Amino acid sequence: MATHPLWRPFTADGNAARQSQRVAFRQVDPGSLQDHDPRWIDAFARVRDLVAGALGADHTIAHVGSTAVPGMIAKPVIDADLLVPDLSDERTWLPELEAVGFRLVFRDVIAGDPHRQLTLGDPNTNLHVWQPGAAEPQRHRLFVEWLRSHPEDRQVYADAKAAAVNAGNGLRYNDAKAAVVHEIYERAFASDPHHAHDAQPRP
């Protein structure tokens, strides 16, 4: 059975499980879902410039998440993926980011990739830090590109986000929409002309 190299097994409670790896809390609450705001592109540019000023312009940083998708409802928080040469050597990158206002809130592993999550208050930001070659930032970019070009899945995901906000089953927001995210990835993987992929039913 062919499997896309970016495929990951479905996890229903991954976000809840990682809470034990939290080291601090974010500066500003994520806020409520709202219609897409074109100013989010400019907000990401501010984050990019802040990171470049702290670490140098040779670091790869990408705007990901729903605020990077025109037409998508989102919580007003910029998600960005940053690659650093050696994630484990925090002395080479973390103090510089903290000096310009970022705060480390998670030190964990996501789908096999070592990960650090920092937040920023203005603009409200989740900065996800990875090592080069990590699969998760590649998955994030694929997801954004898919949603930008597939309005039907934008609507499916928007509906899932709205339902997750109103869920009364005790699931955390990201876990409440995890099943729909997995299904969208399955469609994106199956359509990738560069890699064969057979559908992987979630349990």
Side-chain angles (χ1 to χ4, degrees):
M1 178 180 291
T3 304
H4 194 282
L6 296 181
W7 181 84
R8 293 293 182 270
F10 174 72
T11 56
D13 60 353
N15 194 51
R18 67 188 287 254
Q19 296 307 307
S20 64
Q21 306 302 310
R22 180 184 291 278
V23 298
F25 289 89
R26 63 184 313 115
Q27 298 97 318
V28 179
D29 185 83
S32 303
L33 286 175
Q34 62 183 62
D35 291 337
H36 187 270
D37 188 336
R39 292 175 296 180
W40 288 336
I41 304 303
D42 295 331
F44 167 71
R46 290 168 54 199
V47 173
R48 181 194 60 213
D49 292 347
L50 198 59
V51 170
L55 300 181
D58 56 340
H59 288 74
T60 298
I61 183 169
H63 189 187
V64 296
S66 294
T67 60
V69 181
M72 173 58 69
I73 62 171
K75 292 184 177 183
V77 181
I78 304 302
D79 279 287
D81 282 334
L82 169 67
L83 303 184
V84 297
D86 187 351
L87 184 70
S88 64
D89 190 2
E90 294 180 356
R91 296 169 301 173
T92 63
W93 57 270
L94 181 56
E96 287 82 358
L97 291 176
E98 290 177 328
V100 296
F102 288 95
R103 176 187 296 171
L104 178 68
V105 296
F106 278 103
R107 183 182 286 115
D108 58 358
V109 174
I110 296 181
D113 291 321
H115 167 254
R116 305 291 186 267
Q117 181 178 334
L118 285 69
T119 62
L120 182 70
D122 183 21
N124 200 350
T125 301
N126 293 319
L127 182 66
H128 303 277
V129 190
W130 314 89
Q131 294 215 150
E136 278 301 294
Q138 298 177 61
R139 285 165 53 86
H140 294 166
R141 290 195 297 274
L142 176 66
F143 195 73
V144 166
E145 291 166 3
W146 181 265
L147 291 180
R148 285 173 174 169
S149 59
H150 291 79
E152 67 284 358
D153 270 344
R154 275 204 307 274
Q155 187 60 55
V156 167
Y157 189 39
D159 292 344
K161 289 159 75 76
V165 167
N166 298 317
N169 53 11
L171 284 176
R172 299 184 70 87
Y173 173 74
N174 284 340
D175 292 333
K177 56 190 178 73
V180 167
V181 170
H182 183 84
E183 290 165 1
I184 293 174
Y185 269 124
E186 285 286 351
R187 290 192 281 276
F189 294 154
S191 299
D192 187 341
H194 305 293
H195 301 282
H197 179 71
D198 294 324
Q200 307 287 315
R202 59 184 174 85

